[in-house]
Amino acid sequence: WTAPVVFDAADLRPRRVRDVDSYAYYGVGGGWFVFMKRDPERLEIIELATGRTKTWLAPPGYTASTGDRPNYVTATEIVFDSGFYWVRLDPRSVPWDE
């Protein structure tokens, strides 16, 4: 759910962005909702304004979801510890899902 900023509670109009079936470790920031999934190891990135998605796949032999939730998420950067190494990713560089 998301909503534009209002200054009177009566003007608040929540909007459902999309359903997320399941997630374990997630982060929110800079207009993104980011969560980690397994099989295959990946980062799912949802743009809160539109509900559009991006998927970043971990390189072969690496993991994305064995660590904790992202350390931080901003409009231009996602950082997380995979359990074995640090990943620093610009969400704008990940192509949109079809």
Side-chain angles (χ1 to χ4, degrees), residues 27-58:
V28 178
W32 302 107
F33 177 80
V34 178
F35 59 99
M36 299 177 183
K37 295 193 82 166
R38 293 181 188 246
D39 196 23
E41 298 282 343
R42 67 194 184 275
L43 208 61
E44 298 285 334
I45 304 167
I46 299 173
E47 184 180 49
L48 290 174
T50 64
R52 292 179 8 173
T53 61
K54 298 178 173 206
T55 302
W56 176 84
L57 294 172

Side-chain angles (χ1 to χ4, degrees), residues 3-14:
V5 174
V6 296
F7 298 98
D8 184 347
D11 295 333
L12 185 62
R13 299 288 181 262

